[in-house]
Amino acid sequence: MASDLATGEVFTDDYWIDPYATLSRLREIAPVREVDLPDGGSTWLVTRYADVRAAFTDPRLAKDPRALLPEAERPAEPLIPGPTGHMLLLNDPPVHTRLRKLVVQAFTVRRVAAMRPRISQIATALLDALPPDEPVDLVATYAVPLPMAVICELLGVPPVDRDAFAAWSNTMIDSSPQEAKQQASASLAAYLAELVEAKRADPDDALLSGLVAASEDGDRLTDDEIVGMGMILLIAGHETTANLVTNSVFALLRDEDLRARVVATRAAGEPLGPLVEEFLRWGSPVANTPARFAADDIDLGGVTIPAGATVTLSLAAANRDPARFDAPERHDADRDLSGHLAFGHGIHFCLGASLARLEGEVALEALLDRYPDLEPAVPLDEIVYRHSVLIHALAGLPVRLRPA
């Protein structure tokens, strides 16, 4: 079905094929617009860079739906039951401030940089297991397993359980039936609750044990908060990197000049950091933010979003806004990349941004150093994206790994 921007039908076949074309038209004719969601309901979609950046820091746009209730009627516990309601991205200050303070030390730039050798080992082992000259799905065999292994090792999740995590994450993020999403969320929460108890009885050096023991001025995380933190770290900890890697490789397969530039960069012994940063802006692994809630009438871009409305900020549209980035559809690592919104902005800026950057850089360097001549194993127009409002992710990427 074709998109009909006049009626708010945005997330249709046209969008899944090419979200940027749809978002570009929407940014031009209705940059703040109420649109239909695939699973029912609606959201106000914000698509201009200036509006998106401003919305990130507007305290009237809450992450916690309790903000929509009169203060005297707000319950002490989240409206979303169980650990899910305690996830970092579903809370506002002061709760968000407290939760982030207790986990942020695990993602300092120094600690993340120290992980490079281990990430390289994982990338090498995954590539060693792939057959050259035979079709392989780069999503299933490399782009997902690499960050999944990293985040699971960081948290202390046994390798045997990682396939289950990937399945739960996919269900929760894709446009799946609501019942399936709830079941996947419950399964993930139940597993993590058992793992937290195991870590409490037999602690190790991994992050879940650290969260059990973590305290700040005598404050500790509750079990629901620990499980909620584990849920969001596991999901966000692999989705962004996997999408960054596969979107980047897909771009290289479609643009020989771009691939030649990337391969030449590696041949010169230079890191891919700047190129990866531009891939983050250009390909926006997270296309649109999770919901925010208007606690009051909000004027944004000359449009009044009514109190009580759900609001979604389009990172993909903002990062390709020509008012902010010249010729935004062109990949240009030499451009001024300061202020791109791939990881958000403000107090909810992605906790694991430095880890995602490092994983993406290492993954692409290892792959292209070994297989600079990889090629698609199917016609490019047969490669499709997952139906997800939240992320911009390929369902699969069949390639042949031609040895250099």
Side-chain angles (χ1 to χ4, degrees), residues 310-382:
T310 300
V311 179
T312 299
L313 311 180
S314 180
L315 308 182
N319 278 336
R320 290 210 185 180
D321 186 346
R324 174 60 180 83
F325 299 102
D326 183 52
E329 71 287 345
R330 187 182 71 241
H331 186 282
D332 180 6
D334 295 325
R335 74 168 76 244
D336 176 13
L337 285 166
S338 61
H340 79 70
L341 300 175
F343 292 116
H345 177 61
I347 63 170
H348 288 284
F349 184 83
C350 178
L351 188 66
S354 57
L355 178 58
R357 285 182 169 110
L358 177 61
E359 289 174 329
E361 182 178 341
V362 170
L364 288 170
E365 289 177 355
L367 175 66
L368 296 172
D369 286 354
R370 188 181 299 199
Y371 300 115
D373 299 320
L374 85 167
E375 61 185 34
V378 299
L380 291 177
D381 59 6
E382 293 182 10

Side-chain angles (χ1 to χ4, degrees), residues 99-109 111 211 229 351:
L99 293 176
R100 190 169 178 118
K101 189 175 184 181
L102 287 166
V103 73
V104 69
Q105 60 265 29
F107 294 94
T108 63
V109 173
R111 285 195 176 188
L211 293 176
M229 191 72 73
L351 188 66

Side-chain angles (χ1 to χ4, degrees), residues 3-145:
S3 300
D4 186 350
L5 305 188
T7 62
E9 293 184 41
V10 170
F11 300 109
T12 62
D13 291 343
D14 283 352
Y15 180 89
W16 308 129
I17 293 169
D18 184 3
Y20 292 104
T22 298
L23 292 170
S24 178
R25 293 197 304 272
L26 192 63
R27 191 178 53 233
E28 291 173 5
I29 66 174
V32 179
R33 175 73 163 85
E34 188 173 18
V35 302
D36 298 328
L37 290 169
D39 56 358
S42 65
T43 188
W44 286 79
L45 188 62
V46 184
T47 52
R48 287 195 305 209
Y49 178 91
D51 295 334
V52 170
R53 187 175 173 90
F56 266 119
T57 57
D58 193 323
R60 297 170 297 175
L61 282 174
K63 300 289 286 181
D64 186 342
R66 284 178 292 184
L68 303 182
L69 300 173
E71 191 167 352
E73 299 177 16
R74 295 174 192 171
E77 287 297 306
L79 297 179
I80 301 172
T84 303
H86 292 276
M87 288 198 297
L88 191 65
L89 86 167
L90 297 180
N91 282 280
D92 304 302
V95 175
H96 172 272
T97 307
R98 169 180 165 269
L99 293 176
R100 190 169 178 118
K101 189 175 184 181
L102 287 166
V103 73
V104 69
Q105 60 265 29
F107 294 94
T108 63
V109 173
R110 177 178 295 181
R111 285 195 176 188
V112 168
M115 297 171 68
R116 180 183 284 269
R118 178 57 185 145
I119 297 171
S120 295
Q121 287 179 347
I122 294 170
T124 298
L126 289 170
L127 291 173
D128 286 344
L130 299 182
D133 292 324
E134 292 182 21
V136 296
D137 179 3
L138 205 65
V139 174
T141 60
Y142 187 64
V144 168

Side-chain angles (χ1 to χ4, degrees), residues 163-344:
D163 287 345
F165 276 113
W168 289 329
S169 175
N170 287 348
T171 300
M172 293 169 68
I173 286 177
D174 288 350
S175 297
S176 309
Q178 196 60 33
E179 183 178 348
K181 289 178 181 285
Q182 292 171 351
Q183 181 57 55
S185 177
S187 297
L188 176 56
Y191 173 84
L192 282 171
E194 291 183 5
L195 189 59
V196 166
E197 285 305 309
K199 299 294 184 184
R200 181 173 282 114
D202 185 18
D204 55 25
D205 294 330
L207 182 55
L208 274 183
S209 288
L211 293 176
V212 171
S215 65
E216 184 76 25
D217 298 327
D219 182 25
R220 290 184 181 273
L221 294 166
T222 67
D223 281 1
D224 273 351
E225 289 170 343
I226 296 171
V227 172
M229 191 72 73
M231 290 175 71
I232 190 57
L233 291 176
L234 279 167
I235 296 169
H238 82 276
E239 282 286 358
T240 299
T241 300
N243 300 341
L244 168 61
V245 172
T246 50
N247 290 345
S248 300
V249 174
F250 192 32
L252 298 178
L253 294 176
R254 291 182 296 179
D255 187 335
E256 288 297 328
D257 290 340
L258 177 59
R259 193 208 303 220
R261 194 182 325 140
V262 172
V263 171
T265 298
R266 289 302 296 154
E270 298 176 12
L272 292 184
L275 288 160
V276 168
E277 199 68 21
E278 171 68 341
F279 274 126
L280 282 164
R281 179 206 66 84
W282 183 85
S284 294
V286 177
N288 304 296
T289 65
R292 283 167 163 75
F293 305 96
D296 200 351
D297 288 352
I298 299 173
D299 183 83
L300 200 58
V303 176
T304 299
I305 300 175
T310 300
V311 179
T312 299
L313 311 180
S314 180
L315 308 182
N319 278 336
R320 290 210 185 180
D321 186 346
R324 174 60 180 83
F325 299 102
D326 183 52
E329 71 287 345
R330 187 182 71 241
H331 186 282
D332 180 6
D334 295 325
R335 74 168 76 244
D336 176 13
L337 285 166
S338 61
H340 79 70
L341 300 175
F343 292 116

